[in-house]
Every structure is written in C-alpha cells, then in structure tokens.
Amino acid sequence: MTTKITEGSKIELYTKFIDFQTKNEQDGFLQSLIELKPVAKKKPINDKEVGRKKPKGQSYVYWLSGSEGKIQVCKTAFQSVFGISSDRIRRLCNLLKEGKSPQDKRGKGHPGNAKSVDLILEIQNHINSFPVKKAHYTNEEWNYLDSKLNVKIMWQMFKNIKPDIEVDYQFYLKIFNGHFNLKFGQPQVDTCCTCEELNVKIKSPSLNDAAKRATIAELIVHKRRADKFFKKLHAVKEKTETDPTIAGLSFDFMQNLQLPQIPIQDTFYLRQLSVSVFNVHDLRSGRARFYLYHEGIARKSPDEVCSFLFDYINENVGQHVKHLDLFSDSCGGQNKNHAMVRLCLMLVAQGRFQFITHYFPIRGHSYLPCDRDFSMVKRKIRKMDRIYLLKEYAELIIESSKKMNFEVKIAKTEEVLHFKEWWPQFYRKNAISVETQGRATHRNNKQHFHVTQFMQFCYSHETVGVVKVRSFIDGAEEHTFQLTEPSVIPPSPMSQAYQDNIPINEKKMHDLRRFLPFLPKEEIIQSFYSDIYNWSTCVKE
C-alpha cells in the first residue's frame, strides 16, 4: 500500500478546495479531512519536571483523499497542499473539539466608533440642500458651490441647524469628500439675461406675494424650455450610438485668435491678424473638425458656415445616414438665417437626407459640445507664449485632445461658396404659413416666415420645399411654410463667395508691420508674413 500521494491528486484536491464559493464551504471541506482521536499513550507526569505542559487529552489526524485512496499525512503536508495557515488549522481543530461547524464571522463586528446610518443621511441631505452651479465650458461637467462657502462653514451651519447631533469636522469632511464631487468658487459666464432679470425680480423686497409667485412660475417655465434643448441633444446622441442611419452634428465659431502672439508689452496696443476657427462636432464619435483661416481668407458670414457644414457633410457623413439632427446657437449672422434654411431644403430635395431637424437653444443657454472642444483648445494655447503661424495653431488644436479626436482643415478662399447669392434663385424669402392663409385669418394674425422667431426647423423628403417650424422645441404650435414648389430640385451652389483675397484694414496692416522686428528669421515665418504685408488693403472708418 502506497504512503505517498501523487502530484495529480494534490492538484485535484487544491482545485476542488478553491472551487468552493464561500469560506464556510472551504472550512467545512477541510474539517471533514481532520479526525479527532484520543491520545493513545499518555506519559505520566514527573513532579521533578518543572514547567512541563499538561499532557494533551486528544490528538488530530489529517487525511488526503485521491485516486490512491485515503492517505494519512502530517499537519505540515496538509497545510502545504491547500496553501492555508497554521492558525486556520488550529481554529478548525478547536471547533471540531467543541463539536461545532465553522462559521465565517468576518465583517460582522460593529466598531465602537461607528456612526449611525441616520447621521450619515442627515449630513448628506444637508450638503444636497446647497444650490450648485454647473460649468459647461469644460470637457467634464463639474458642479460648483458658492465661492463664499467652504466645508468648515458648511459644518458650522449643520451644527447650528442640528444642535442635538454631535458630529466633528473630520467626519463631516469625510462624508463631503467620499460621497460628493463638488468644488467651490467657479464664477458663471455667459449667463441668460432673462434668468438674471427674473432672479433679481424675485429677490426684490417691494414685490408682493402674488407677483413673486407669478415671477417664480415664469422662471420655471423659462428654464424648462431651455432644458428641452439639452434633453434633445442627449437623446439624439443616444440614438446615434445605436442607429447608424441617424447622425447628429453641433457647429459653432470659436472666439477669434490672434497672430502673431508675442509676450511683448508694446504689442498689447497693436491690432493683430484675426484668426477664425469654425468647429463641427460629431455627436456619435465625439470627433471634431476645425476649419482654420485668417481674416484675409474669408469672413464669418452665412456663406462660410454653410460652406464648411456642406463640406463636412460631403466628406464625413456617410450615404447610409437618412436622418440628420443639427444643433447650433441662434446667431443670426452665422447659424440662424435664410441661407442655412435653404441649404437644409436643398439637401432634402436632392435626396441626400430624408429628414433634417435643426434645433436652436434659448439665448443664454447655448452650451454646446463645441464649447467643450473650445475649452480644451484654449487651455492648450494659454500654455504657449509665442505663436507665429496658422500651422502652429493647427498643431496645438490637434494636440489639445488627449484622445486625438480633433482634426484641422486650413480653409482657402475658393472653398467658400456664395450661398447668399444662390438661394434667392430657387426659394422665396418670405411666405405666410399654411395654417394662417386665407380670409379666415385676420391680416394681423397671419404668421410670416421670420427666421429669428423659431427654435426648431424640420425638413422632410415627403414635403419637398416645405419647412415646419416651432417657436419652442417640441412646442404644441407648429407652422408650415412653402418656400418653393415641390418640383424644384435646386443644384448645389458652384460660384465662389469671393473672387479674390479679402482686403485687410489699412490701419491694422500698419500695426502688423510693427511686429516685423520681433519675428524670427526662419524662412517659413518670413514667407508667411511677407505675403501678409503684400496683401491688398482697404480703408475702414
């Protein structure tokens, strides 16, 4: 009969041991392999042997069962096979001696300094009671508390409100840091004038209760209408992730950059070359394309917006996309105008898309994905003290995205199409809505097509040449305008908006020449500014 267990049996036993789901199951399995026996032979105690321990009343036998049968092993071998500690074996032996099954009691103790759940909830409710402000011009959404607050002030306020509850500052701080993602002191920018006006009116001591309630109700309605834009944007983004036939685009101009950017005190008073940055952001992928050019190449008119958006759609939006959702602010000279409406009508009439919906936010609530892209770019540019070329701006824009989601296209004058001249050839400028046509509606109640009055524009292949508009996103009132006949399918514009480079202000050119002593002698920089200095100029008042 063999007295050794093979390596295969050891592996099989260990595998069986670790396959148990709980520690109780493991301990039960181990205890079943330990046998309690009385001591076979006791050695009598000699009174002369001082310090000798009392003889044991029992002994333990350890077994391993494998393909070779049940084999008795020593404690060391038993411990080695299962990879357990001697303390664990001692505990199992003591339980076996007492006739008890092993029970896992870890984590069931209650610390003496533990706080009650009710106290934690009280602190959380107190922190949640403070109003927060949201920072929208960042790549992550941060919530900010008032700049006059800090955690110690909040803790003191909690103690004043709940004097019967004893809680120290360290515990309050622990709850604040562990359960909340809040910061202090972020100032708001580009706030809504309506919100500011209503908030000031609500706080006015001269306002009676009835007027105050009416103002509060007006503010609530205003904010709900503003939130419609962001809810629609998030809903479209979720749809684009699951439905490849839907695409969502957000587009906007960034604040102008300047060339050259040099940290010299005298240049602060000099006019510089303005650089325009137009951004188109894809909601599905999070990728964005920037169109970069200076003021001598193009302007910031509907021609540029329509041309760049048209170019992006042709190059980046696949033919499988049938429903296009657009999001932009309500700037009349760029995004919300007759040229943009006719571009969408043309895309539907040509069969490029079956449906197009263009959403505009309420003024002061126009926080777009583009704004977060711009924030990333600005943080990168602020770290640079010297910038001389458009190419350098392009490289900084690309590097500002850690996920490499940005691309840059340096625009050319000939790429800007003359949309403002193109659309009057095929579309009417004004029309009366279908719902208010006829003698049944008084002339003062007839709805004319004023682009600035509406927040949602819908275009469909089922009604070519027709745009349906709403004063508010998903509003109940809808107006239908027939801007051309259904049989009219206009061609894409072909003529250029500018036949030559755009002249630069003569006074600005004079200031630009004063930068010449500060420009590096590198050939590429000298060549770029040599072209600028030879640019045509004009006189502006």
Side-chain angles (χ1 to χ4, degrees):
M1 179 178 178
T2 181
T3 59
K4 293 184 179 180
I5 187 167
T6 63
E7 290 296 328
S9 297
K10 291 180 181 179
I11 295 173
E12 182 181 351
L13 278 169
Y14 180 73
T15 304
K16 183 178 180 180
F17 169 71
I18 63 175
D19 282 344
F20 288 111
Q21 299 296 322
T22 64
K23 186 174 183 296
N24 285 336
E25 293 176 350
Q26 290 182 354
D27 287 347
F29 171 70
L30 293 173
Q31 197 179 57
S32 67
L33 300 176
I34 303 174
E35 182 181 355
L36 176 63
K37 285 186 176 183
V39 178
K41 185 178 179 180
K42 296 183 180 180
K43 185 178 180 181
I45 299 177
N46 189 344
D47 295 337
K48 296 181 179 181
E49 297 183 46
V50 180
R52 181 184 170 191
K53 293 182 180 178
K54 186 178 178 181
K56 295 181 179 179
Q58 68 284 325
S59 63
Y60 300 95
V61 180
Y62 304 93
W63 299 91
L64 296 178
S65 58
S67 57
E68 302 84 359
K70 199 171 182 181
I71 301 172
Q72 181 179 343
V73 296
C74 66
K75 179 181 176 180
T76 303
F78 187 83
Q79 178 181 341
S80 175
V81 169
F82 295 108
I84 57 178
S85 65
S86 58
D87 289 338
R88 188 171 182 180
I89 296 177
R90 185 183 305 110
R91 172 177 169 270
L92 294 175
C93 291
N94 291 336
L95 291 171
L96 183 62
K97 178 182 176 181
E98 297 172 5
K100 297 180 181 179
S101 299
Q103 293 293 330
D104 187 8
K105 297 182 180 180
R106 295 176 301 176
K108 297 182 180 180
H110 187 72
N113 61 347
K115 305 296 183 181
S116 66
V117 176
D118 293 338
L119 173 59
I120 296 174
L121 289 176
E122 287 282 359
I123 296 174
Q124 290 178 346
N125 292 335
H126 181 252
I127 297 173
N128 283 325
S129 66
F130 291 93
V132 297
K133 305 172 185 178
K134 293 194 175 195
H136 298 275
Y137 296 112
T138 57
N139 56 340
E140 297 182 8
E141 288 190 4
W142 290 100
N143 292 327
Y144 289 86
L145 297 172
D146 194 277
S147 58
K148 299 177 183 178
L149 289 174
N150 57 48
V151 181
K152 185 158 284 189
I153 294 175
M154 295 169 67
W155 169 64
Q156 291 287 355
M157 295 171 69
F158 178 79
K159 289 179 63 179
N160 295 335
I161 297 172
K162 305 285 184 179
D164 55 327
I165 299 178
E166 293 186 6
V167 57
D168 59 6
Y169 170 70
Q170 292 300 328
F171 184 74
Y172 191 96
L173 178 63
K174 180 180 179 182
I175 299 299
F176 182 87
N177 292 334
H179 295 79
F180 296 90
N181 188 17
L182 296 171
K183 293 179 177 293
F184 294 97
Q186 174 68 12
Q188 289 183 305
V189 294
D190 296 340
T191 57
C192 172
C193 57
T194 302
C195 291
E196 289 291 322
E197 181 181 353
L198 293 176
N199 281 321
V200 171
K201 192 175 180 181
I202 290 171
K203 296 176 182 178
S204 173
S206 60
L207 202 66
N208 60 47
D209 292 341
K212 184 171 292 187
R213 286 194 295 270
T215 305
I216 292 173
E218 184 181 352
L219 180 61
I220 292 172
V221 172
H222 170 76
K223 288 186 175 181
R224 285 179 178 176
R225 286 175 174 173
D227 288 341
K228 279 281 188 179
F229 178 82
F230 305 107
K231 290 179 179 178
K232 185 65 67 174
L233 191 149
H234 291 305
V236 169
K237 182 178 179 180
E238 292 178 357
K239 289 181 180 179
T240 60
E241 294 172 352
T242 57
D243 190 347
T245 64
I246 299 176
L249 301 178
S250 168
F251 55 93
D252 196 12
F253 270 103
M254 181 178 169
Q255 184 180 5
N256 283 355
L257 303 175
Q258 304 294 327
L259 278 180
Q261 181 175 306
I262 307 174
I264 299 176
Q265 187 176 10
D266 292 346
T267 62
F268 179 79
Y269 305 98
L270 301 178
R271 284 165 285 194
Q272 295 163 275
L273 189 68
S274 297
V275 176
S276 300
V277 183
F278 183 76
N279 172 267
V280 183
H281 182 101
D282 184 2
L283 298 183
R284 177 188 288 115
S285 64
R287 299 184 63 83
R289 171 181 283 188
F290 292 79
Y291 291 84
L292 191 66
Y293 59 95
H294 63 72
E295 61 181 293
I297 299 295
R299 297 188 175 94
K300 296 173 71 172
S301 71
D303 285 334
E304 282 76 11
V305 175
C306 292
S307 298
F308 298 149
L309 184 61
F310 189 44
D311 175 77
Y312 183 90
I313 290 173
N314 290 334
E315 294 187 6
N316 293 274
V317 180
Q319 296 294 329
H320 60 278
V321 175
K322 301 302 179 185
H323 193 153
L324 178 65
D325 291 289
L326 302 175
F327 297 87
S328 66
D329 62 27
S330 300
C331 180
Q334 297 170 0
N335 307 325
K336 192 177 185 181
N337 47 62
H338 290 283
M340 178 59 66
V341 172
R342 275 62 179 191
L343 169 62
C344 295
L345 286 170
M346 179 199 73
L347 292 172
V348 171
Q350 292 180 352
R352 182 63 176 84
F353 301 103
Q354 294 182 359
F355 302 95
I356 297 178
T357 309
H358 196 167
Y359 301 97
F360 296 92
I362 292 177
R363 183 182 177 185
H365 297 271
S366 56
Y367 309 121
L368 299 167
C370 298
D371 294 316
R372 295 184 181 177
D373 297 341
F374 298 154
S375 177
M376 296 167 66
V377 172
K378 289 176 182 178
R379 284 200 298 271
K380 185 69 175 179
I381 292 176
R382 278 197 294 265
K383 296 178 181 179
M384 308 300 296
D385 56 358
R386 290 172 175 79
I387 303 175
Y388 301 99
L389 303 171
L390 280 177
K391 183 180 178 182
E392 293 179 69
Y393 273 128
E395 293 172 351
L396 291 173
I397 291 173
I398 294 173
E399 293 172 2
S400 63
S401 173
K402 295 180 180 179
K403 297 181 179 179
M404 301 302 293
N405 283 337
F406 294 166
E407 63 172 314
V408 177
K409 183 174 183 179
I410 297 180
K412 300 178 180 178
T413 302
E414 57 269 22
E415 295 173 346
V416 181
L417 304 177
H418 206 342
F419 278 86
K420 291 191 293 185
E421 182 186 60
W422 162 82
W423 71 262
Q425 304 175 34
F426 307 98
Y427 297 99
R428 292 190 291 272
K429 180 177 182 179
N430 196 7
I432 298 175
S433 69
V434 175
E435 292 78 8
T436 60
Q437 285 180 354
R439 297 183 177 181
T441 305
H442 190 272
R443 61 187 299 177
N444 294 335
N445 296 329
K446 292 184 181 296
Q447 180 64 60
H448 292 266
F449 185 60
H450 299 303
V451 179
T452 56
Q453 295 181 358
F454 309 112
M455 295 297 178
Q456 180 176 340
F457 295 75
C458 303
Y459 314 85
S460 171
H461 71 289
E462 298 173 352
T463 53
V464 175
V466 171
V467 54
K468 295 183 178 181
V469 299
R470 290 188 172 96
S471 298
F472 301 100
I473 295 176
D474 293 340
E477 186 180 9
E478 183 179 73
H479 292 282
T480 305
F481 295 96
Q482 181 81 43
L483 298 180
T484 190
E485 299 303 321
S487 58
V488 176
I489 303 178
S492 302
M494 300 297 294
S495 61
Q496 300 177 15
Y498 313 108
Q499 300 303 319
D500 200 357
N501 292 333
I502 298 173
I504 298 176
N505 186 356
E506 191 175 74
K507 294 181 179 179
K508 176 177 284 193
M509 183 66 75
H510 179 266
D511 286 351
L512 287 172
R513 293 182 185 278
R514 295 176 63 181
F515 283 96
L516 185 58
F518 310 116
L519 298 177
K521 303 305 179 182
E522 298 177 22
E523 182 178 352
I524 186 172
I525 296 176
Q526 292 292 323
S527 175
F528 175 80
Y529 284 94
S530 176
D531 291 341
I532 295 297
Y533 294 150
N534 291 325
W535 215 269
S536 57
T537 60
C538 63
V539 179
K540 293 183 180 180
E541 297 295 335

